[in-house]
Amino acid sequence: MTLPLHSGIFAAVERRCADSDPTPPLRLFDGSDRAGVPLALGQARRLLYDRSVCPAARAALWRQIAERARFEAEGSDWPTAVVWLGLPGLRNTAFEIMRRFRAERGDVEAELVACYLEALSEAGAHDPDPGGAVLRSACSGAWKVWSKARLERAVDDVESAGGAPLAPDAEGCWQAEYDPVPRPPGLSATVRITVPAHRVEGVRLGALARAWGMGDTATSVGHSGRGRQVATISLRRVGRSG
């Protein structure tokens, strides 16, 4: 099996399950045996995404996977194997989210796995296509999270972000101030910070100053108002107006 070159949750799961064969095994109910044909883990994953396989047989496999997701016997490899079985249905969405939103691989993959396991726990016993329902729910759930937390394009140079060059040997210091935007629509400043909702409280102006190479010259920070909204930012020379 060729393992992914990238690091991340998906790659870690692939490595963990490369030679795994947890018990009890999944069984294929294709009519040849009433008790079902036992499957190795790799065989099961191939059949799950093979459209030539009987839909009822694939549906039965997905129902077994939903059961294994709740399998917590000591030393069992099933919790990880359950995630491994869903990776082929999640990879394209992970790639598209990272490409479109410039999101970090680890965050995207973690969100997809969480959505996948949640959808799997809610899989209906009588759904004719539980696998399709689970994967659609997981992928759409991750898309909603990232579309609500659309990231601004990051820039390495504050000069291009602010539009005015900053002389490294300029006299005096730079002072950073920010105030909450008084209206609901959002930020109106030229420089904007946008982060996922669950990270808003982690934003600090000091981190921004360091990222822009201004950690030694930012002399004070002022904040007024309450709420979750990130604020406008303005930089100016101390002692000068405008």
Side-chain angles (χ1 to χ4, degrees):
M1 177 184 297
T2 301
L3 299 181
L5 298 177
H6 301 290
S7 61
I9 295 175
F10 287 8
V13 171
E14 289 285 359
R15 289 192 295 270
R16 176 81 177 270
C17 295
D19 300 313
S20 176
D21 208 7
T23 57
L26 297 174
R27 292 180 174 271
L28 177 65
F29 294 93
D30 59 356
S32 61
D33 188 330
R34 292 185 61 183
V37 179
L39 296 171
L41 197 63
Q43 288 178 303
R45 189 159 85 162
R46 287 192 293 273
L47 293 175
L48 286 171
Y49 300 93
D50 185 349
R51 293 294 180 180
S52 67
V53 175
C54 171
R58 285 192 291 118
L61 279 175
W62 278 108
R63 294 189 189 101
Q64 293 173 67
I65 292 169
E67 293 175 0
R68 299 298 193 278
R70 297 184 286 271
F71 199 80
E72 298 179 356
E74 184 177 354
S76 173
D77 290 330
W78 268 117
T80 306
V82 163
V83 174
W84 184 79
L85 290 167
L87 294 186
L90 303 176
R91 275 206 182 88
N92 285 343
T93 298
F95 174 78
E96 288 300 321
I97 290 176
M98 288 186 287
R99 181 187 64 81
R100 180 167 180 176
F101 299 110
R102 299 180 182 271
E104 294 184 7
R105 179 182 300 276
D107 293 339
V108 173
E109 291 181 353
E111 188 65 45
L112 275 166
V113 169
C115 290
Y116 166 72
L117 293 175
E118 181 179 357
L120 201 59
S121 69
E122 299 173 353
H126 303 292
D127 192 325
D129 183 18
V134 165
L135 295 173
R136 284 192 299 272
S137 176
C139 293
S140 63
W143 269 106
K144 288 177 182 178
V145 168
W146 288 98
S147 61
K148 289 180 180 178
R150 184 183 297 269
L151 301 178
E152 296 288 344
R153 181 175 180 178
V155 295
D156 297 325
D157 189 355
V158 68
E159 294 183 8
S160 62
L166 301 178
D169 57 349
E171 298 179 0
C173 300
W174 287 86
Q175 183 180 51
E177 296 180 354
Y178 70 108
D179 299 298
V181 178
R183 59 182 185 279
L187 297 171
S188 60
T190 301
V191 180
R192 291 182 291 177
I193 303 174
T194 306
V195 295
H198 63 283
R199 294 183 179 179
V200 169
E201 294 186 5
V203 175
R204 294 293 182 268
L205 193 58
L208 177 62
R210 289 193 297 273
W212 283 359
M214 299 176 62
D216 296 332
T217 57
T219 59
S220 65
V221 176
H223 171 254
S224 62
R226 295 178 296 176
R228 295 177 56 117
Q229 188 170 11
V230 182
T232 61
I233 296 177
S234 63
L235 300 175
R236 71 170 184 270
R237 293 288 297 277
V238 175
R240 294 188 181 183
S241 59

